[in-house]
């Protein structure tokens, strides 16, 4: 029986909150249906890089519409976003890559965590710190956006499981192994320890950026669901950041979640192209394995698909999927249900690993 907190409650989106339709082909009635669905099953978005952007341009006030950045609270509200993972990764531009010292990665990560916590504290009427699936539901019921911290980079562990436990204590709930020495083509002994400890702590593993071999090994090693926080289908666009079908199938086998990005270089330059990627991921990973991870949170330099230039475009995307014949039950999974399920499943795995019977 579902927890009472999981029962849907409206989050306030209405037809008056929606952006104008992208073109004459979008029917008002379909857009109204999309808005109604999002009021009950809001978007749980797996990737937003706003924390890094605000560190570089701290003058942005996201409580009001701001043309200098693609994410602010009014547009999150207009798009029906009810939960957000705030990425704590630092872009590699302008800094040494492979030669970067571990202590610098740790320092960068701690500064990102501090900035994320400051962001959530600054907007208490709109953002709500979330550590669990219950927190996610509670935030929705209060009309706030559940704010999860992560991912942090796997390199920030610097060979220490204690670092992973410390990040967990600070509120981090997702870890990105890509680029870590313990998660290359093969998973090292320490890598297996990281996966085990992440499972014990209910920290999700984010396979974004991992090569196919590493992604499949991590998905196979984890006892909890894994996610890909932002990707698209390599079968439609062979971009190096997109997931091939073998990875989509591995995530499906792990009961995980593949979250499709809104990046023109990876999806194509239109809302329809993004919908094509969602169709493919749904077909391969299953209706329970597809989600949304737009990777918004940038200044206006990243090219976005027409109609999806900021979070307010979500209702138009849902309307497009309705027109393509997606049942509302599958759309409820896409927007909210699948994300909450993987978080809850990770928590169940953690409780099972921490039970006295598991120590025998």
């Amino acid at each position: 029986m579902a927890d009472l907190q999981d029962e849907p409650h409206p989050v306030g989106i209405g037809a008056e909150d929606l952006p104008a339709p992208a073109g004459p082909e979008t029917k008002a009635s379909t857009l109204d249906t999309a808005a109604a669905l999002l009021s009950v099953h809001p978007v749980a978005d797996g990737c937003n890089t706003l924390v890094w952007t605000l560190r570089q341009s701290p003058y942005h006030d996201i409580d009001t519409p701001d043309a200098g950045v693609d994410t602010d609270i009014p547009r999150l509200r207009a798009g029906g976003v009810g939960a957000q993972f705030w990425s704590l990764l630092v872009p590699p531009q302008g800094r040494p890559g492979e030669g970067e010292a571990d202590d610098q990665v740790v320092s960068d990560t701690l500064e990102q965590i501090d900035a994320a916590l400051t962001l959530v504290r600054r907007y208490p009427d709109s953002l709500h710190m979330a550590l669990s699936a219950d927190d996610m539901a509670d935030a929705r019921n209060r009309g706030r956006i559940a704010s999860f911290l992560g991912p942090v980079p796997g390199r920030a562990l610097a060979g220490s499981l204690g670092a992973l436990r410390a990040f967990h204590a600070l509120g981090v709930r997702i870890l990105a192994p890509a680029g870590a020495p313990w998660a290359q083509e093969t998973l090292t002994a320490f890598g297996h320890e990281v996966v085990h400890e992440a499972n014990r702590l209910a920290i999700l593993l984010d396979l974004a950026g991992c090569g196919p071999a590493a992604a499949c090994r991590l998905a196979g090693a984890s006892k909890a669901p894994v996610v890909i926080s932002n990707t698209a289908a390599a079968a439609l666009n062979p971009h190096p950041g997109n997931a091939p079908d073998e990875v989509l199938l591995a995530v499906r086998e792990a009961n995980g979640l593949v979250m499709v990005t809104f990046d023109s270089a990876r999806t194509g330059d239109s809302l329809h192209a993004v919908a094509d990627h969602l169709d493919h991921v749904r077909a391969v990973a299953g209706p329970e394995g597809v989600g949304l991870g737009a990777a918004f949170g940038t200044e206006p330099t990243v090219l976005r698909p027409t109609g999806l230039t900021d979070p307010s475009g979500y209702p138009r995307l849902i309307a497009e999927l309705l027109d393509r014949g997606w049942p509302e039950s599958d759309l409820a999974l896409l927007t909210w249900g699948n994300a909450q399920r993987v978080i809850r499943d990770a928590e169940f795995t953690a409780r099972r690993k921490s039970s006295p019977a598991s120590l025998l």
Side-chain angles (χ1 to χ4, degrees):
M1 180 174 170
D3 293 343
L4 290 177
Q5 283 184 303
D6 289 342
E7 292 302 314
H9 294 265
V11 295
I13 185 173
E16 70 276 7
D17 299 312
L18 295 176
E25 72 280 2
T26 301
K27 299 178 182 178
S29 60
T30 308
L31 205 56
D32 289 342
T33 301
L37 186 144
L38 287 171
S39 72
V40 181
H41 306 285
V43 171
D45 186 300
C47 181
N48 189 298
T49 62
L50 183 66
V51 173
W52 171 253
T53 300
L54 293 182
R55 283 185 60 198
Q56 305 310 298
S57 305
Y59 55 84
H60 292 303
D61 177 10
I62 68 165
D63 216 10
T64 57
D66 187 339
V69 66
D70 64 25
T71 299
D72 52 49
I73 289 168
R75 282 181 285 186
L76 290 168
R77 297 283 196 193
V81 175
Q84 182 68 70
F85 271 100
W86 301 105
S87 174
L88 303 179
L89 304 179
V90 174
Q93 301 94 297
R95 296 183 314 164
E98 295 300 322
E100 186 182 14
D102 284 344
D103 59 351
Q104 183 62 52
V105 178
V106 174
S107 175
D108 286 341
T109 301
L110 290 173
E111 289 182 10
Q112 286 282 91
I113 293 171
D114 181 66
L117 292 171
T118 299
L119 175 69
V120 175
R121 286 195 297 265
R122 185 176 179 184
Y123 302 100
D125 293 335
S126 298
L127 305 180
H128 178 74
M129 182 70 177
L131 302 175
S132 66
D134 281 347
D135 290 342
M136 183 176 169
D138 186 51
R140 178 187 59 182
N141 295 345
R142 293 166 180 256
R144 291 174 173 80
I145 298 167
S147 296
F148 289 93
L149 302 190
V152 295
R155 287 192 62 207
L157 301 187
S160 168
L161 293 180
L164 182 61
R165 291 188 282 270
F167 289 142
H168 179 269
L170 289 172
V172 171
R173 292 298 181 267
I174 187 166
L175 174 74
W182 45 266
Q184 300 298 316
E185 290 297 311
T186 61
L187 195 59
T188 67
F190 178 70
H192 282 283
E193 291 178 1
V194 170
V195 172
H196 181 275
E197 188 66 1
N199 287 172
R200 191 187 70 81
L201 295 170
I203 291 179
L204 292 167
L205 296 174
D206 177 9
L207 309 186
C210 291
C216 291
R217 288 182 183 277
L218 286 160
S222 179
K223 301 300 182 185
V226 296
V227 302
I228 307 180
S229 66
N230 64 104
T231 191
L236 303 185
N237 179 356
H239 186 282
N242 289 348
D245 285 357
E246 64 181 294
V247 173
L248 300 183
L249 290 169
V251 173
R252 180 173 188 162
E253 184 67 22
N255 296 314
L257 180 58
V258 179
M259 309 176 96
V260 173
T261 188
F262 301 171
D263 180 340
S264 293
R266 298 166 71 178
T267 60
D269 61 3
S270 69
L271 178 152
H272 303 288
V274 173
D276 289 342
H277 283 268
L278 286 165
D279 279 341
H280 184 85
V281 173
R282 175 171 168 255
V284 178
E288 296 82 14
V290 60
L292 299 163
F296 288 129
T298 63
E299 293 177 314
T301 54
V302 176
L303 295 178
R304 302 290 182 188
T306 303
L308 294 173
T309 55
D310 62 60
S312 69
Y314 272 120
R316 288 196 292 268
L317 178 61
I318 300 306
E320 169 67 19
L321 297 176
L322 283 166
D323 285 340
R324 291 184 179 214
W326 282 49
E328 292 190 24
S329 57
D330 282 8
L331 289 169
L333 292 175
L334 170 77
T335 59
W336 184 266
N338 289 336
Q340 187 169 52
R341 190 261 307 164
V342 296
I343 294 169
R344 222 177 255 301
D345 285 357
E347 293 166 0
F348 176 78
T349 300
R351 288 195 295 272
R352 189 175 57 196
K353 282 185 169 290
S354 298
S355 68
S358 69
L359 303 176
L360 297 178

